[in-house]
C-alpha cells in the first residue's frame, strides 16, 4: 500500500469513528427527549434537566464534543483552524454555563446565566456550521443547497422559538440536523479530495510518460 493510499485510509477511518460517535449521540439525545413530551414546554431539554441533571450534563458535553469533532474536521480541511477555535471555545463556555446553572426562574441569577449560556452556544455553533458550509459554497451544488437549507432552518427555528417558546423539538432539531449534515459533508469533501488526487496522479503519470 502506497503512502498516499495509507493516508487516505487513515483519514477515512477517523471519519468513520466520528460518525459512530455522532450516531451514539443522536440516539442518546432521542432517548433523553423521551422523559417528557418534546412538543411541549415541559419537554424542553433544560426543563427535563431539572429532574435529570446528570443526564443533562452528559447531553451538553456530548453536544459540544460531537459538534467540535465535526467542525474541527471541516475547518481543518479548509485551513481555518483559528476561526474554528475562535467560535467554538466561547461556545463551549456557553454550554458550560447552560449545564452548570439550573433552569430555575426562582433562582434568577443562575437562570439568567443559563439563558445567556444557551443563547451563546446556539448562536456561535449555528454560525460556525453556516460559515463551514458557506466557505465551500462555490465547490458544488451540494454545498450551495446545504448552506441555503441551514440558513432557512436557523431562521425557521428562531420563528418557532418566538412563537412557542422552548420545546424539546425546537431545541433539538437544529442540533441533530447539524450533526447529520456535517457527517454527510465530511464524506462529501473526502470524495472531492480523492477525485482531485486521482486527477493529479493521472496528470503526473502522463507527464512522466511524455
Amino acid at each position: 500500500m502506497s503512502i498516499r493510499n495509507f493516508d487516505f485510509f487513515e483519514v477515512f477511518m477517523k471519519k468513520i469513528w466520528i460518525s459512530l460517535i455522532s450516531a451514539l449521540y443522536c440516539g442518546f439525545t432521542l432517548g433523553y427527549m423521551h422523559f417528557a413530551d418534546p412538543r411541549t414546554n415541559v419537554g424542553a431539554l433544560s426543563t427535563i434537566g431539572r429532574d435529570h441533571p446528570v443526564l443533562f450534563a452528559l447531553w451538553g458535553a456530548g453536544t459540544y464534543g460531537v459538534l467540535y469533532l465535526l467542525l474541527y474536521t471541516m475547518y481543518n480541511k479548509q485551513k481555518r483552524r483559528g476561526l474554528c477555535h475562535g467560535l467554538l471555545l466561547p461556545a463551549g463556555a456557553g454550554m458550560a454555563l447552560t449545564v452548570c446553572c439550573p433552569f430555575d426562574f426562582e433562582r434568577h441569577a443562575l437562570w439568567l446565566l443559563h439563558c445567556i449560556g444557551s443563547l451563546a452556544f446556539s448562536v456561535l455553533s449555528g454560525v460556525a456550521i453556516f460559515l463551514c458550509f458557506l466557505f465551500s459554497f462555490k465547490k458544488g451544488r451540494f454545498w450551495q443547497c446545504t448552506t441555503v437549507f441551514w440558513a432557512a432552518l436557523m431562521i425557521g427555528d428562531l420563528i418557532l422559538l418566538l412563537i412557542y417558546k422552548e420545546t424539546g423539538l425546537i431545541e433539538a432539531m437544529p442540533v441533530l440536523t447539524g450533526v447529520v449534515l456535517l457527517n454527510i459533508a465530511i464524506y462529501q469533501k473526502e470524495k472531492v479530495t480523492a477525485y482531485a488526487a486521482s486527477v493529479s496522479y493521472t496528470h503526473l503519470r502522463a507527464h512522466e510518460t511524455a
Side-chain angles (χ1 to χ4, degrees):
M1 180 181 291
S2 67
I3 295 177
R4 177 180 296 174
N5 289 336
F6 179 80
D7 290 341
F8 173 79
F9 178 77
E10 183 180 15
V11 171
F12 183 77
M13 289 305 299
K14 286 181 179 179
K15 293 181 179 181
I16 290 292
W17 278 110
I18 292 175
S19 295
L20 290 175
I21 294 171
S22 300
L24 290 174
Y25 163 76
C26 291
F28 179 85
T29 300
L30 293 175
Y32 177 81
M33 292 170 63
H34 276 78
F35 283 106
D37 188 346
R39 298 169 297 179
T40 65
N41 299 122
V42 178
L45 303 179
S46 298
T47 304
I48 296 174
R50 290 189 298 184
D51 297 326
H52 305 278
V54 175
L55 292 179
F56 182 60
L58 289 174
W59 174 83
T63 300
Y64 180 76
V66 168
L67 287 178
Y68 181 87
L69 284 174
L70 289 164
L71 286 168
Y72 182 80
T73 300
M74 291 297 300
Y75 276 95
N76 187 46
K77 287 289 185 180
Q78 297 168 345
K79 310 299 181 183
R80 300 177 189 270
R81 284 176 292 184
L83 177 60
C84 176
H85 289 139
L87 289 169
L88 293 185
L89 289 180
M95 178 56 82
L97 284 176
T98 303
V99 170
C100 295
C101 301
F103 187 66
D104 187 353
F105 188 75
E106 294 181 357
R107 304 165 70 180
H108 189 71
L110 293 177
W111 174 83
L112 185 60
L113 288 174
H114 175 96
C115 294
I116 292 173
S118 178
L119 179 63
F121 173 79
S122 299
V123 171
L124 290 170
S125 59
V127 169
I129 294 173
F130 175 74
L131 291 178
C132 172
F133 296 145
L134 184 64
F135 290 142
S136 299
F137 190 83
K138 296 181 179 180
K139 292 185 178 181
R141 185 163 297 178
F142 168 81
W143 302 102
Q144 295 165 1
C145 293
T146 306
T147 303
V148 174
F149 174 78
W150 182 253
L153 178 65
M154 291 293 95
I155 295 172
D157 194 69
L158 176 60
I159 293 173
L160 291 175
L161 181 63
L162 294 174
I163 296 174
Y164 298 104
K165 308 303 180 184
E166 297 88 354
T167 70
L169 286 177
I170 292 175
E171 291 177 332
M173 180 176 59
V175 179
L176 294 176
T177 304
V179 169
V180 171
L181 290 177
L182 286 169
N183 268 280
I184 296 173
I186 60 175
Y187 293 104
Q188 182 76 12
K189 194 167 182 65
E190 189 64 37
K191 289 178 183 178
V192 173
T193 303
Y195 173 75
S198 65
V199 171
S200 298
Y201 179 74
T202 301
H203 287 174
L204 178 62
R205 292 290 297 172
H207 178 74
E208 290 176 349
T209 303

